[in-house]
Every structure is written in structure tokens, then in C-alpha cells.
Amino acid sequence: MKLIKLTAISAAVLASTAALAAEPVVVVDDNTAVAYEAEPVAVAYEAEAEPAYAYNADAGVVRNTTGAVVGGTKTFFQTAINPAAVSAEVGTLGYGANIAWGLNENTELQAGWAGGDVAELFGGDIDIDDVNYDVDSDFSNPYLGVQLRPTGNWFTMGAGIIVPDNSLDVKSNPESNGIYEIDNVKYEAENVGVLEGSIDHRNKLAPYATIGFRPNITNNFGLFGEIGAAYMGKTDATVRAANPDAPVEIVGSDEVTNAGAVAAEAQKELKSDNYLEWLPIVKVGATYRF
């Protein structure tokens, strides 16, 4: 009988998880009460082992080219249609604008255009070997470059490529005493007439470099200024006389030449000067950041 009672009580105790966890078990055996402290049952769960190598079907596939190159998360298309900023500018390259895409917090890719008649920014005239020429210009300078903020503040450094298509037309002005002086030879301007010509740079691609500043005025608006230079290459020049066969007296000599020969000498001097071989870049502008 004692064994049957103990067995029944033990089964009841095992069926109660709460009693096992907290309360002691009291077993009554006729005249004797015995208290048994329930021990918690420890259940061990064995974790399923991970395989040493899991095959990745996408391994080596670059899905986000922009992110892979610059560490971002945008796709190339998203980046292209969501520029970081747009700017308006004026300077020695002309009047224009550019659009910028942020590659990271210190680097922007810029694409822009500047052009127009900017001859007045260079004074409107030039002196080549004592001959003064009025200059008319028609600039077209599309460009692609990178703008860096190496110190993470308003100081910037830029570099890139210009695709120049610049036209420079010149027209001669005689000296006040009515003389043209070319290569130390003086000619009567009245006999020579007006000399007209053009200047063309040889480079089809012109590298440039700048330094500047880009302070932010508000969260969206900012200003900028840059100075630098672009290498436009050596020049080709043409100079024409209105009447090339007209006789021209050489001052201080009995020799007589013609206006065409004088124009050829002027062309040689204009070409050798390589006007604006290094085109100075000076520009200012305003920026709106998205």
C-alpha cells in the first residue's frame, strides 16, 4: 500500500510543471510526513549546425554599378535623374550653367556648358607686335569634370575636360599716327587698309584645373568662385587685306610692297603669339542644392 501511494503521488508531481519549478512536494505516509524538494528539469536543445558553406547564386554579380563604384546605394539611373545641385555661372569661358551629381560627400561629377561673346572680359582688344586688333568672340565650351572638397569644407579643387568650339575674329586698328608696325617694319595704314582675320585653337579637347570656394548660404543655396586655366593649344591664324594688290609704301624706305604681303606678315606674327594658348579660367556663380 505504501508503494502504491508513493507512486501515485510522484506521478501527480511530475505532471505539474509549476510544482516542479517552485513548490516543495509533501508526501504523507500514514503517520509520517516527508517533504521532497522538486528539482527543475533541465531540457537541452541541440541547435542545428549551419553548413560550413552556403552557395550564393548571385556571387560575383554587380547589380548596382553606381554603388559598386562609389559606395552608394542608388542605381545609375536613379543617380542620373536625381542630381545633387544645379549652378549658374559667368566667367572667362562664357555664360552658362552646370549640373552636378554627388559621388560621395566630398566628390561631385559636373557636366556643364559656357559660351557666348565674352571678348569684353579680355578687354575687347589685343596688341600683337604693335598692331592693335579689336576682338569679337563666339565661345562654346561644353565641359565634364570632377569637383573635390579635399578638406571637407568650402575649399574646392576641380579638374576635367573642355570640348572647345571657340571663334575669335580680329580687326586691325592703325596707330594714332596712321602707321602699322609689323616685325619692326612700318607701313602706311592708309595704303594697307583694314586687316581682318580669325584665330582658332588646335586642341579639340582642352584639359583644365581650378581651385575655388563654395560656401553654403542656406541649406539649399550657395555661392562659388573659381580660378584656374585650360590648355587650349597653339593657334592657327588667318589675316586678310581688303585689297591685297594695293601698293603699300614702307615708311623710311623707297621700297614698295602690297597689302597682301603686309597681311601675310601680320598673320605670321598673330599665329606665333599663340593668343590664349593657356585660357585663364575665372568664374563666379550661384548653386541650388537639392
Side-chain angles (χ1 to χ4, degrees):
M1 181 63 70
K2 183 187 296 185
L3 179 59
I4 295 173
K5 290 182 179 180
L6 288 173
T7 301
I9 294 171
S10 298
V13 170
L14 291 173
S16 174
T17 56
L20 287 173
E23 297 295 331
V25 179
V26 178
V27 179
V28 179
D29 180 12
D30 293 335
N31 300 321
T32 305
V34 181
Y36 296 91
E37 187 74 31
E39 295 292 337
V41 178
V43 180
Y45 296 93
E46 183 176 354
E48 183 179 353
E50 293 291 337
Y53 172 78
Y55 175 71
N56 179 5
D58 294 331
V61 177
V62 179
R63 296 186 180 277
N64 183 348
T65 54
T66 304
V69 174
V70 301
T73 58
K74 293 182 178 180
T75 65
F76 178 79
F77 180 74
Q78 288 172 324
T79 301
I81 64 174
N82 291 282
V86 293
S87 301
E89 63 181 60
V90 59
T92 52
L93 290 176
Y95 309 89
N98 68 62
I99 187 169
W101 293 270
L103 302 184
N104 56 49
E105 61 182 7
N106 293 329
T107 309
E108 287 182 343
L109 176 67
Q110 288 186 337
W113 178 91
D117 185 359
V118 296
E120 292 301 324
L121 296 175
F122 298 99
D125 64 336
I126 57 173
D127 291 313
I128 305 295
D129 192 37
D130 297 325
V131 178
N132 180 265
Y133 295 92
D134 288 331
V135 179
D136 288 323
S137 64
D138 184 11
F139 276 17
S140 177
N141 291 300
Y143 61 88
L144 181 67
V146 175
Q147 195 72 227
L148 303 175
R149 295 177 184 258
T151 56
N153 57 16
W154 54 265
F155 175 71
T156 63
M157 298 175 64
I161 292 291
I162 300 171
V163 186
D165 183 15
N166 299 327
S167 173
L168 291 163
D169 296 323
V170 296
K171 182 183 291 187
S172 65
N173 295 312
E175 297 179 15
S176 57
N177 58 359
I179 298 294
Y180 284 126
E181 185 172 349
I182 302 171
D183 196 21
N184 297 320
V185 179
K186 296 180 179 180
Y187 305 95
E188 291 286 349
E190 184 178 358
N191 302 141
V192 176
V194 175
L195 300 174
E196 295 183 320
S198 61
I199 302 172
D200 296 298
H201 292 99
R202 297 178 185 174
N203 280 10
K204 302 305 180 185
L205 295 175
Y208 75 87
T210 63
I211 59 173
F213 64 96
R214 288 179 174 264
N216 293 327
I217 306 304
T218 69
N219 287 337
N220 297 106
F221 288 97
L223 302 175
F224 70 89
E226 294 179 38
I227 59 172
Y231 182 67
M232 294 294 185
K234 297 186 182 300
T235 60
D236 292 319
T238 59
V239 176
R240 304 171 299 276
N243 185 4
D245 296 324
V248 176
E249 296 180 5
I250 299 176
V251 177
S253 170
D254 295 333
E255 296 182 34
V256 176
T257 185
N258 59 52
V262 176
E265 290 298 318
Q267 176 175 299
K268 187 187 303 181
E269 293 299 318
L270 187 60
K271 182 177 179 179
S272 65
D273 186 76
N274 289 316
Y275 179 61
L276 295 181
E277 177 180 3
W278 285 93
L279 176 65
I281 295 177
V282 179
K283 61 181 177 180
V284 295
T287 296
Y288 179 82
R289 295 195 170 276
F290 297 101

